[in-house]
Amino acid sequence: TSPLAWLRTRFYYLLIRLYFDQEFSVEEFTRGAKQAFSVVSKLLSQRKLDLLDELVSAEVLQVLKEKISLLPDSHRDALAADIDAIMYTTEGDIRIYYDDDGIKFVSILMCFWYLNGANLPDEVPGQAKVFQIVFGDENTKEKKHLLTANYEFQREFTEGAKPDWTITRIEHPRLLE
């Protein structure tokens, strides 16, 4: 990320700690986001969407139900991200906003890069080449794809609201389109 983007995210984290949650920890949030990403991506790949009610917003869940039913098996398998296969995680956009009723929200977009061994074509038509990594020697060669996903987490910080983060956006480029 650029130095300005890094500085901007740190400023927003400071605002969250000062005005919304004095206990907020970037490291703890990132750890929880990685865990949530792994669980949700596996449930998506297994088509167990009914188990996502508490984790994903109703609007996103409705869109996912339509998209998942149309996916080929190879793309569906590629959605799953084992927590140990997450190679890199970074924050995207962070937003703090109030709605018309004075309800306070914080949204944090997390970007994940993960390895997956699904049987994907080398190139997806109309898209950039999917990165591949080969492990092992000629006899035990294992091909993995380096894939990306963006998940947006939102939490309401109005007094009395549940302290739960909800996923309000799920993007798996080249897979869930």
Side-chain angles (χ1 to χ4, degrees):
T1 58
S2 74
L4 281 175
W6 183 87
L7 192 58
R8 181 178 179 269
T9 59
R10 295 308 173 255
F11 175 71
Y12 273 106
Y13 285 144
L14 177 65
L15 290 177
I16 293 169
R17 284 189 64 114
L18 290 174
Y19 296 105
F20 298 101
D21 181 3
Q22 289 80 26
E23 309 268 321
F24 182 80
S25 160
V26 177
E27 295 79 16
E28 187 178 321
F29 175 82
T30 301
R31 200 171 21 260
K34 284 172 74 170
Q35 228 173 359
F37 165 61
S38 179
V39 168
V40 169
S41 68
K42 287 176 185 176
L43 290 172
L44 286 174
S45 75
Q46 298 166 1
R47 294 185 183 168
K48 294 182 178 178
L49 303 179
D50 53 322
L51 299 177
L52 296 175
D53 284 339
E54 297 293 316
L55 302 170
V56 179
S57 73
E59 298 83 13
V60 171
L61 200 50
Q62 185 59 40
V63 171
L64 288 172
K65 286 178 181 177
E66 295 168 15
K67 288 184 177 185
I68 294 290
S69 66
L70 302 173
L71 281 182
D73 288 344
S74 61
H75 282 69
R76 196 173 34 82
D77 294 342
L79 295 175
D82 188 58
I83 198 156
D84 296 330
I86 300 171
M87 299 287 101
Y88 184 70
T89 304
T90 188
E91 308 91 4
D93 193 27
I94 300 174
R95 294 180 295 146
I96 297 173
Y97 55 96
Y98 297 80
D99 73 2
D100 293 337
D101 297 324
I103 298 174
K104 302 180 266 189
F105 292 98
V106 172
S107 291
I108 302 174
L109 179 66
M110 296 297 291
C111 307
F112 303 96
W113 285 261
Y114 65 102
L115 290 175
N116 183 289
N119 187 20
L120 292 173
D122 290 346
E123 289 193 35
V124 180
Q127 300 292 330
K129 186 167 178 60
V130 175
F131 291 103
Q132 297 178 22
I133 300 169
V134 178
F135 296 96
D137 59 21
E138 281 300 314
N139 299 326
T140 61
K141 199 167 22 174
E142 181 183 5
K143 183 169 67 170
K144 298 248 183 188
H145 297 278
L146 181 62
L147 302 169
T148 62
N150 303 311
Y151 280 47
E152 183 178 61
F153 296 84
Q154 182 182 83
R155 179 176 165 193
E156 181 182 341
F157 279 94
T158 308
E159 191 173 325
K162 290 187 343 185
D164 298 333
W165 290 89
T166 303
I167 298 170
T168 55
R169 182 168 68 178
I170 294 178
E171 297 172 342
H172 283 262
R174 295 183 219 99
L175 299 174
L176 260 182
E177 294 179 343

Coordinates of all heavy atoms in Angstrom, one line a residue, residues 11 70-71 95:
F11 N -4.9 6.6 10.8 CA -5.7 7.7 11.4 C -7.1 7.2 11.7 O -7.7 7.5 12.8 CB -5.7 8.9 10.4 CG -6.6 10.0 10.8 CD1 -6.3 10.8 11.8 CD2 -7.8 10.2 10.1 CE1 -7.1 11.9 12.2 CE2 -8.7 11.2 10.5 CZ -8.3 12.1 11.6
L70 N -25.0 -20.8 -9.9 CA -24.6 -20.8 -11.3 C -23.1 -21.2 -11.5 O -22.7 -21.3 -12.6 CB -24.9 -19.4 -11.9 CG -26.3 -19.0 -11.8 CD1 -26.4 -17.5 -12.3 CD2 -27.2 -19.9 -12.6
L71 N -22.3 -21.3 -10.4 CA -20.9 -21.5 -10.5 C -20.5 -22.9 -10.9 O -21.1 -23.9 -10.4 CB -20.2 -21.2 -9.2 CG -19.9 -19.8 -8.8 CD1 -19.2 -19.8 -7.5 CD2 -19.2 -19.0 -9.8
R95 N -14.3 3.3 6.5 CA -15.2 4.3 6.5 C -15.9 4.4 7.9 O -16.3 3.4 8.5 CB -16.3 4.1 5.4 CG -15.7 4.2 4.0 CD -16.8 4.0 3.0 NE -17.3 2.7 3.1 CZ -18.6 2.3 2.8 NH1 -19.4 3.2 2.5 NH2 -19.0 1.1 3.0

